[in-house]
Amino acid sequence: MSNILIVEDEERISIFVKRGLQSAGYACTVISDGVEGLLEAQTGAYDLVLLDVGLPTLDGFEILRLIRVSHPQLPVIMLTARSSVEDTVLGLDGGANDYLAKPFKVDELLARIRSRLRETPSAPSTELSHGSLSLDLRTRRARVGDRVVDLSVREFALAEEFLRHPEQVLSREQLLSRVWGYDFDPGSNVLDVYVRYLRNKIGVDAIETVRGMGYRLR
Ligand code: CA
């Protein structure tokens, strides 16, 4: 049985979420304080964390950042009333696996949880490479030739998607859904922004824009 940690200070919401998860067969624990939630998440007892943004003592983005340092593979779904693109990008770049804007339906939450639990990698040990770019999926380290390149969680995920399909044109929808993990607005410029970040780090010619179609790793 999967064990889920809910870090949420609004009792109305945490009770609603807890009931929904329990009726779907998950074990869950609710913590209403930021620092306590972080410490609980870091015990290693959980398969997934549902994390509110606005919390007493430590906000959700900071908790997320610290979880990513200590437990890079732990799936985290942010729960928030804020739905602006800016906050979404901040949350996802901070390493959230998904993002759910309040109010949400319990079925929607359960679908996201199922999908995140399925995707959790089981100790990947492979290295992907194409041309001079290589990614070690175990250590999450990227290199261009002999040079180690510092990639954010999201940049790494994008580079990984390209490396899994070298020389193929990947559509915007494909990249958004695989890397950002849910129905992002295809008109959003978040992908273009991240492709630019990645080009700056791995080489401006490494990723080709295929007009009207998407991007391709060369
Ligand atoms: Ca809150």
Side-chain angles (χ1 to χ4, degrees):
M1 182 166 50
S2 295
N3 198 9
I4 296 176
L5 176 64
I6 304 163
V7 187
E8 167 64 76
D9 62 328
E10 259 179 272
E11 203 177 9
R12 183 175 61 86
I13 295 171
S14 61
I15 289 173
F16 163 77
V17 170
K18 187 176 178 178
R19 280 197 193 128
L21 295 186
Q22 285 177 336
S23 66
Y26 295 109
C28 50
T29 300
V30 175
I31 304 276
S32 59
D33 174 82
V35 170
E36 284 175 31
L38 170 66
L39 295 175
E40 191 64 24
Q42 289 176 326
T43 58
Y46 298 93
D47 301 298
L48 185 143
V49 179
L50 296 174
L51 183 58
D52 184 26
V53 173
L55 286 164
T57 69
L58 196 60
D59 87 30
F61 290 127
E62 189 60 15
I63 295 173
L64 176 65
R65 193 182 66 75
L66 294 166
I67 289 177
R68 279 295 159 260
V69 173
S70 60
H71 295 77
Q73 309 288 359
L74 180 62
V76 177
I77 299 177
M78 304 292 288
L79 304 177
T80 180
R82 305 181 206 172
S83 54
S84 73
V85 167
E86 203 174 286
D87 279 344
T88 307
V89 169
L90 185 60
L92 293 173
D93 193 38
N97 300 90
D98 209 340
Y99 201 94
L100 205 51
K102 296 171 192 170
F104 48 82
K105 297 195 181 85
V106 80
D107 286 350
E108 192 183 0
L109 175 65
L110 291 173
R112 300 283 180 85
I113 289 173
R114 278 193 298 272
S115 131
R116 292 308 139 205
L117 288 175
R118 255 198 319 272
E119 285 175 7
T120 306
S122 50
S125 58
T126 45
E127 182 165 302
L128 292 174
S129 66
H130 183 72
S132 59
L133 175 64
S134 65
L135 298 183
D136 185 326
L137 299 179
R138 194 174 48 79
T139 61
R140 313 301 288 175
R141 183 167 286 184
R143 278 181 297 129
V144 174
D146 291 332
R147 183 169 57 95
V148 173
V149 185
D150 189 26
L151 298 184
S152 71
V153 172
R154 202 56 46 179
E155 290 163 354
F156 191 95
L158 185 58
E160 180 179 339
E161 194 57 29
F162 278 119
L163 277 173
R164 289 189 185 280
H165 310 276
E167 305 290 343
Q168 288 178 33
V169 179
L170 302 179
S171 71
R172 301 179 59 83
E173 290 72 19
Q174 187 175 353
L175 289 166
L176 285 166
S177 71
R178 299 256 178 93
V179 177
W180 276 265
Y182 68 108
D183 281 336
F184 227 90
D185 172 10
S188 153
N189 71 347
V190 64
L191 175 61
D192 313 278
V193 169
Y194 274 84
V195 165
R196 195 161 68 233
Y197 290 162
L198 205 51
R199 280 176 175 149
N200 287 338
K201 292 183 178 181
I202 68 172
V204 284
D205 295 329
I207 301 167
E208 178 189 6
T209 302
V210 183
R211 201 165 287 278
M213 294 182 72
Y215 292 102
R216 169 164 55 198
L217 180 70
R218 293 203 279 214

